[in-house]
Amino acid sequence: MIKILQEQALNYKLNPVLQHFCKSEIQELCKKYMDADEHGQVEECLKAAFLRKQLINRECQLEVATLIAEAKADIHVDPILEMACTVDLLRYCGNVASGNARKLDCLRRLLRESPKSLEPDCRDKLQKRIEMFRNADDTLALPLEDMGQLVQQVVASPARKFFLVILMSATGLVFLTGIFLGRATKRAMGLKNK
């Protein structure tokens, strides 16, 4: 799974959802990186635009926020940050086990305790990532403003068939309950009138 996420981070064309929802943003904001994107520049451009709040399309915002949130899993999912912090990872976090964001937490702790000990490029990218993590968490945690947004989220969801089955089952249950209770109340009314 980590390998797939790394490859998607390095080449946005491997992520069809990102391509679909952020098509106009990629063409407008990240045009100069589109032709030869093999080093994750388009995704970096979208993340930077997300940080600057330049992404207008709500679906694109959510997709980029999801990408950023996935990068919190561990540093290996974010190859750009991993490349920038390779020296610091080997020097300070070499004995830390991979997974569960342990290496990323090691770098964060170093950034808090002694920011000068980190390489300048690593320090800058890590600070941006931490800010992106905060913004992504805020974006993903936003409550729905109206029923239209709820419908859009359900329609865009990969589990939309499940939601449709639940909705239809609930509607059918209400209908059947109405039929049986309607007959029972009609029968009770008939007995009362006698």
Side-chain angles (χ1 to χ4, degrees):
M1 188 66 175
I2 289 175
K3 190 71 173 162
I4 292 170
L5 291 172
Q6 281 178 333
E7 289 175 8
Q8 281 182 351
L10 290 174
N11 188 351
Y12 80 99
K13 292 175 184 170
L14 296 176
N15 188 342
V17 178
L18 182 70
Q19 276 186 290
H20 175 73
F21 286 135
C22 300
K23 187 174 188 172
S24 62
E25 285 82 355
I26 290 171
Q27 290 174 350
E28 292 172 19
L29 302 172
C30 309
K31 188 185 302 184
K32 61 183 175 183
Y33 304 116
M34 281 177 54
D35 296 331
D37 181 56
E38 294 177 14
H39 299 293
Q41 296 305 314
V42 170
E43 190 173 307
E44 279 301 301
C45 173
L46 287 172
K47 287 178 181 179
F50 176 81
L51 192 58
R52 294 188 305 267
K53 302 200 184 303
Q54 291 179 321
L55 301 178
I56 297 167
N57 182 357
R58 176 78 177 146
E59 286 85 9
C60 182
Q61 288 175 355
L62 290 172
E63 184 59 29
V64 174
T66 303
L67 288 174
I68 293 169
E70 286 172 353
K72 286 169 61 174
D74 206 0
I75 196 160
H76 303 298
V77 178
D78 189 347
I80 304 289
L81 182 62
E82 185 179 24
M83 283 187 274
C85 297
T86 300
V87 173
D88 296 312
L89 283 168
L90 292 172
R91 187 181 307 154
Y92 302 112
C93 306
N95 60 346
V96 176
S98 293
N100 289 337
R102 289 186 202 102
K103 292 205 181 250
L104 192 57
D105 288 341
C106 174
L107 289 174
R108 283 178 165 175
R109 190 174 50 255
L110 280 168
L111 184 65
R112 275 193 312 268
E113 293 171 2
S114 58
K116 299 287 186 203
S117 64
L118 292 173
E119 296 288 321
D121 188 35
C122 178
R123 183 175 56 240
D124 294 341
K125 281 195 174 35
L126 187 59
Q127 286 172 335
K128 282 183 183 176
R129 287 302 192 270
I130 291 170
E131 190 175 345
M132 282 181 197
F133 292 155
R134 262 188 252 116
N135 287 348
D137 290 343
D138 292 344
T139 299
L140 293 173
L142 283 177
L144 298 173
E145 294 176 10
D146 59 4
M147 193 64 156
Q149 280 186 341
L150 176 64
V151 170
Q152 283 179 341
Q153 262 192 337
V154 169
V155 168
S157 170
R160 63 181 167 265
K161 289 181 182 175
F162 172 76
F163 290 123
L164 183 63
V165 167
I166 295 297
L167 178 67
M168 296 304 285
S169 298
T171 304
L173 186 63
V174 168
F175 180 71
L176 289 174
T177 304
I179 288 175
F180 289 122
L181 290 179
R183 291 180 151 251
T185 56
K186 186 176 179 180
R187 189 175 304 141
M189 292 295 279
L191 292 175
K192 184 179 177 184
N193 289 336
K194 285 186 180 182

